[in-house]
Amino acid sequence: MIRKGEYTIYNGREYRFIESDTVEAIELISNDKNEMDNGFTYYKNNIYTKIVGVDEVKELYSINPYAVYKGEVFPASQERRTGNVLLATTNTELAKRMGFERTRRVDRKMKWIRKSS
């Protein structure tokens, strides 16, 4: 699985997080129901959250994955069901050369590839 987004270390475990409406706090996100034993509350669709102070976490960092495809570097994300990787670019010349398709956003071109490509 390709990870993407904001992450932190809390009590020795890595969690995704979003900024909280509470000052100096973040909202941890987990898909593990057992986290309810650690103070997480059910949000919806197998998502559990917990608000913690920024001073309670070890570090905050962002993961922005990239993939090398045919010698070029592209931002990448993964489709969960198939495992295929989505590559994107705003460079029209590069998109044309790589066979990317135009998306609804005029300035962005994308291409799905198998993870093994």
Side-chain angles (χ1 to χ4, degrees):
M1 174 171 51
I2 296 176
R3 297 179 313 145
K4 183 177 186 177
E6 280 71 43
Y7 288 82
T8 190
I9 304 297
Y10 175 73
N11 288 343
R13 289 194 59 190
E14 183 181 66
Y15 294 94
R16 289 176 299 152
F17 77 89
I18 59 172
E19 290 183 29
S20 173
D21 293 335
T22 306
V23 176
E24 297 296 316
I26 58 172
E27 192 166 357
L28 304 177
I29 302 168
S30 176
N31 298 110
D32 183 355
K33 183 178 183 177
N34 295 323
E35 291 289 6
M36 291 183 73
D37 296 337
N38 298 321
F40 281 69
T41 57
Y42 178 75
Y43 174 64
K44 67 178 179 181
N45 301 328
N46 196 41
I47 299 171
Y48 303 87
T49 64
K50 179 177 182 175
I51 296 175
V52 298
V54 174
D55 59 341
E56 296 179 66
V57 298
K58 187 172 181 178
E59 58 186 316
L60 304 171
Y61 52 95
S62 183
I63 297 176
N64 297 297
Y66 288 84
V68 177
Y69 178 67
K70 296 184 179 180
E72 299 289 346
V73 178
F74 298 96
S77 57
Q78 187 171 20
E79 206 283 324
R80 289 180 188 232
R81 289 174 294 145
T82 65
N84 287 344
V85 177
L86 179 66
L87 307 178
T89 184
T90 56
N91 183 324
T92 304
E93 304 272 329
L94 180 60
K96 186 182 286 188
R97 192 169 75 237
M98 296 291 169
F100 285 28
E101 297 176 10
R102 175 184 255 168
T103 64
R104 288 183 218 167
R105 285 185 52 195
V106 178
D107 62 336
R108 189 170 171 163
K109 286 78 177 169
M110 299 196 212
K111 182 172 188 173
W112 287 101
I113 61 168
R114 293 193 193 286
K115 193 173 184 180
S116 60
S117 295

